[in-house]
Each structure stands twice: as C-alpha cells, then as structure tokens.
Amino acid sequence: MASGHDMLWRRCAYLGRALLPLLDQEPWRQGRRRERLGTWGMEVAVGERLIEVIAALAAHAVAVDSSLSATEFEAVPLSAVADAATGKQDFELLAGLPDSFADDRDDIAVKVFRLYAYKGDRTSLQLVRLGTEVRRSLTVLAAREPVRSPTCEDVFRRADGIGLPP
C-alpha cells in the first residue's frame, strides 16, 4: 500500500506527464518546443523529460508547502504550479521528495534534475530555461480552460479525456 506522500508524488508526476501531450493537441507547439530545445543544445528526449519532472517537482513543492494530501492537491491552481516552476530555487523544488519512487523513470528523472542543479554553469541555465517552458505550458493549458482559475483537477480531467494513463 502506498503512503500518502507516495500518492501525492504520483499525482504530481501525473500532472508532469500529462503536460506535454495536452499541450501538443496543437501540433505546432511540439515543433516549436523541440526547436527551442535544439537551440539550447539539449536532446529532445532529455529536455522533454526534464520539462515533465520540473512540472512534477513544482507541483509537489506547492503541495508540500501547503501540507496538502493527494486528494487536496487537485484543487491547486495551475497558476501556483506555474509560479513555483520559475519562482523556486532548485533546492526548494527538491525538498520533501519521497526517499524512493515507485516508477524508475521518476527516480532517474529526479536524479538527472539533481545533477543539472548541482553541476552549475550551463546546466543551471538549462533548468531555468526549462522552468520557463513549464510556466509557458501551464499558462497555455490554463488559458484553454473555460473556468476562471483552472486547477490541477482540470488538467487531470483533460488527460483522462484523451486517454492518458494515470
């Protein structure tokens, strides 16, 4: 049985995994993002996975800062996650993570994020750029929602609607 903290991380990770497929419903966005990643000297697969994990880390940081459970997390406004993606330092995004991850992909992605964060120089700049990409992506998704202040639950509903696995 997964702990409450593990369940919270899983919901945050799902938000991160849903971000790009939902954004790419407008296919031209994927091309522009991949072009930007290439301009930044990043492999597309690495850059896109880091975008997913930064979104998850930002969402997790917001939830931990507010002492939210996995079910309460769904009410978090996308704007709060977007703000955390660009407003929190790397070490703040890493605070309070589970000791281990049920999904090996999450474990590896968080380790890559840590390496980028601690290496400094150009890699730190990459994280800033990717955080800005996460913010832009969340802002676009929020603008698509018919409600005034869309939440993580709205993203989950859309992701479920296109058949993304949780």
Side-chain angles (χ1 to χ4, degrees), residues 54 56-66 80-95 113 117 124 127-128 131-132 135:
I54 290 170
L57 290 169
H60 189 264
V62 170
V64 168
D65 286 353
S66 301
V81 178
D83 289 347
T86 55
K88 290 195 173 285
Q89 298 292 320
D90 301 337
F91 66 90
E92 292 176 298
L93 293 177
L94 292 167
F113 180 88
S124 288
L127 291 181
V128 170
T132 301
R135 181 182 187 85

Side-chain angles (χ1 to χ4, degrees), residues 54-145:
I54 290 170
L57 290 169
H60 189 264
V62 170
V64 168
D65 286 353
S66 301
S67 301
L68 301 177
S69 69
T71 54
E72 294 168 323
F73 167 71
E74 294 190 2
V76 169
L78 292 181
S79 60
V81 178
D83 289 347
T86 55
K88 290 195 173 285
Q89 298 292 320
D90 301 337
F91 66 90
E92 292 176 298
L93 293 177
L94 292 167
L97 287 176
D99 293 330
S100 61
F101 300 91
D103 185 339
D104 287 340
R105 285 191 48 189
D106 290 341
D107 187 41
I108 291 167
V110 169
K111 285 178 181 174
V112 169
F113 180 88
R114 279 189 176 111
L115 287 172
Y116 271 58
Y118 295 133
K119 190 171 181 182
D121 295 336
R122 185 169 177 252
T123 55
S124 288
L125 174 60
Q126 299 292 34
L127 291 181
V128 170
R129 288 174 170 161
L130 292 169
T132 301
E133 191 70 24
V134 169
R135 181 182 187 85
R136 178 178 326 160
S137 299
L138 288 167
T139 301
V140 167
L141 288 184
R144 289 181 187 167
E145 290 297 324

